[in-house]
Amino acid sequence: MSNVYEIAQGFDTLWELIEDETVEESVLEDAFANLTDDLKDKFENCCKYIKNLDSDIAGLKEEEKRIKAKRQALENGKERLKFLMLRAQKASGEKKLQCGSFTTTLQANPEKVVMDEQYIENIPEEYLKYKDPEIDKVKLKEHLKAGVAPEGSAHLEQDIGLRIR
């Protein structure tokens, strides 16, 4: 059995032979029927393989969700434990504790900016950052379909996709 690439080449060759008037019509019909049968068989196997891949992908996505949830639970537990340790060491008044093979120390973190409640009205313009403009493609598509979009701004294209049912 041929692969999809070879079958596609066969159809290309067949189209060239159709233009050649010396080739009998029955030969062309047989070649077309054979190529079509090969294509259907190959596509059936490809579709089966794609469905298997879909199943594997769905299983892997579920496993990713499960593993992510487990990782997040462990991270949250670690952060809660570190917070409790911080509170306990602060309460003890000890800056440094020797704990077997580990040492815990209280250390000042770098300063951070904490915004006041009414900060946006009180902050000068020089501290504000603005996002770059984004194009509303849904609205632009509607205007292109209606013929009211600015000339040379965009155009509509439509691709052909393969659906497997």
Side-chain angles (χ1 to χ4, degrees), residues 43-57:
F43 272 29
E44 180 180 7
N45 291 332
C46 288
C47 290
K48 288 177 182 176
Y49 182 65
I50 288 171
K51 290 298 179 187
N52 283 337
L53 290 175
D54 285 343
S55 175
D56 291 347
I57 290 167

Side-chain angles (χ1 to χ4, degrees), residues 24-39:
E24 293 183 29
E25 192 170 317
S26 62
V27 172
L28 294 173
E29 288 174 1
D30 288 343
F32 183 78
N34 289 336
L35 282 172
T36 303
D37 289 343
D38 283 351
L39 186 65

Side-chain angles (χ1 to χ4, degrees), residues 125-137:
E125 184 78 20
E126 68 182 283
Y127 300 115
L128 299 178
K129 289 197 289 187
Y130 296 95
K131 289 186 177 182
D132 291 333
E134 291 184 30
I135 296 172
D136 183 352
K137 289 188 177 181

Side-chain angles (χ1 to χ4, degrees), residues 65-127:
K65 287 180 190 175
R66 185 187 69 77
I67 290 171
K68 181 181 178 183
K70 186 173 183 173
R71 176 187 52 81
Q72 287 175 334
L74 291 173
E75 287 173 346
N76 291 340
K78 177 191 86 167
E79 292 304 317
R80 279 192 304 272
L81 183 57
K82 284 176 67 178
F83 175 74
L84 292 173
M85 290 172 65
L86 173 66
R87 276 185 59 196
Q89 189 162 342
K90 276 183 179 179
S92 75
E94 296 288 332
K95 288 199 179 252
K96 187 174 188 178
L97 286 174
Q98 187 64 39
C99 319
S101 58
F102 297 97
T103 303
T104 61
T105 55
L106 296 180
Q107 178 181 343
N109 290 330
E111 292 177 328
K112 65 180 179 180
V113 175
V114 178
M115 302 307 296
D116 298 331
E117 281 187 37
Q118 301 296 324
Y119 73 92
I120 201 69
E121 294 98 28
N122 300 329
I123 201 91
E125 184 78 20
E126 68 182 283
Y127 300 115

